[in-house]
Every structure is written in structure tokens, then in C-alpha cells.
Amino acid sequence: MTSERRVLVHPDAASLEASVAARFLTKVIDLLDEHPTIDVCLTGGSTGIAVLAAVAQNPAREGIDWSRVRFWWGDERYLPNGDADRNETQARNALLDHLALPPENVHPFPAPGDHPTIEAAAEAYATELGDTTFDITFLGVGPDGHVASLFPDHATVLETTKKVVAETNSPKPPPERLSLTLPVINSSERIWVVLAGADKAGALGLALADANVASVPVAGVRGRKRTVFFVDQDAAAEVPEGLIDRDRYWTASDEG
């Protein structure tokens, strides 16, 4: 199976968030027609959480049997349970707490105190994950090209044996984080990279130019079936015209 990479450009952040939310709901319905259960991996960040809020506001969510959907996270800030800066907390407030979702369907990363060390917490989440592969993985991108909590020129970017890593020297606060590794991320059927704003334009251009993964982690992202970059016009501003080419990428609506 050939993995496809596509770029879908939206006029602004608001239309981007609403479009991704609608596409997500449509894809969940389609997947549940084919599978008894599905697994979705969430991201944090302002745009990622805004997409979840847009899902919550879309009436189509009422027609989905959420008991058949399991949620995971690509990374987490290693902060106490319930902390406002945890991706889990923000996702629950934006969407998950508004769904008829059994508690066992939500798989958050551990928090401090759940295990003796952050390394033990990483191992525990890897065990919980087991052989799970994601039907849809959401990712955001930092201006430096990081995805999840895999940062440029950190050894964790090139980790190939572990499923989950402990980051103890994050360049962004807080310094301690937990993250899935690239092999786990890339085992996803579909990866949806959602980014908005002119400060993300450079990272997007480097990703599409297949930059060095160690220096630009997002360049190493590739889902098994397809990888879609959902971007607003500002984020697409610095992408060379030759990289948004109908022979290599799509900029019109597609099946996701």
C-alpha cells in the first residue's frame, strides 16, 4: 500500500478548525461502518484543542456511538491530574466530557505520583498501549518543527525501540513530558497534521521538502495510508509552489 501525502489549504484558522472537525466526524462514521471499534490519538495545542471544540459544537456528533471509540494522546505535559495545562484536561473540557463516552475508553498519560519515576510512567503507558494502532492520529506542529514532544536534535526523535519516551529537558515548559515515538505515530492508518499561523510556515515548508528528521521531526511523519496537512493560508504562505503540486499533493477536498 502506497502512503499518500496531501495538503489541504483553508482561508483562515476558523474555517480550518470547522472543516477538520466536520471531516473527523464523517470519517468516524465511515470507520465505524467498517470496524466494531476504532482508536483515535489526540494532540494538544491551541489549534488541536480548537478542533475538538468544533467537534463538540457540530450536531453530527450526536449520531455517533462513542462507546465504540477509544481515545489516546500523542504526548502529555508531566503535570498533576486535572492541571489546566495538561492536554488531557483541555481535551476533556473541549470535547470528551460532552460525549457519551465510557471512562475506560479514555487512555490518558500518567501523571506525577502515578508511578515512581517518569521513566516508569513511560513504560506503563507503553504497556497500556500494547499493540494498538490508531485509525486517526492528530498532530500539531511547533514553529521549530517538533511534533508530539519530540523536539529537534533530541535523541528521542530517532528512538526506534521504545513506544513511549520520557522527555526531561523540553525547550518548552514544562521540562518533563511523555511522548509517543515516531514509529508508533507512523504506525497510524491516517495522520492528520493541523497547523495554522505564519509562524508555522517554515516548519511546513521543511516538512514537505523532506528535511532531516533529527532537525525537523515533522518531516519524519508518514501515516500508513495517508498523511494530510490541514493548514490555513498563513501557514501555507512560505511553501514553494513546486511543493504544492497536483502531481504530488492535493489542495482540494478529498476523502481524508
Side-chain angles (χ1 to χ4, degrees), residues 73 76 80-94 97:
W73 275 265
E76 185 58 274
N81 285 312
D83 191 287
D85 286 336
R86 276 180 66 94
N87 293 335
E88 175 202 355
T89 305
Q90 295 176 15
R92 287 185 181 276
N93 291 339
D97 287 349

Side-chain angles (χ1 to χ4, degrees), residues 22-23 54 60 70 94 109 150 161 170-171 187 237:
R23 185 181 294 266
R70 296 184 291 252
F109 275 97
L150 303 174
T161 59
S170 166
S187 71

Side-chain angles (χ1 to χ4, degrees), residues 4 6-8 191-194 226-230 254 256:
E4 298 175 343
R6 306 184 178 190
V7 180
L8 303 181
I191 298 178
W192 291 7
V193 187
V194 186
R226 92 179 31 90
T227 305
V228 184
F229 291 84
F230 297 92
D254 70 319

Side-chain angles (χ1 to χ4, degrees), residues 144-158:
D144 61 355
H146 84 265
V147 291
S149 284
L150 303 174
F151 294 98
D153 303 316
H154 284 220
T156 51
V157 177
L158 300 180

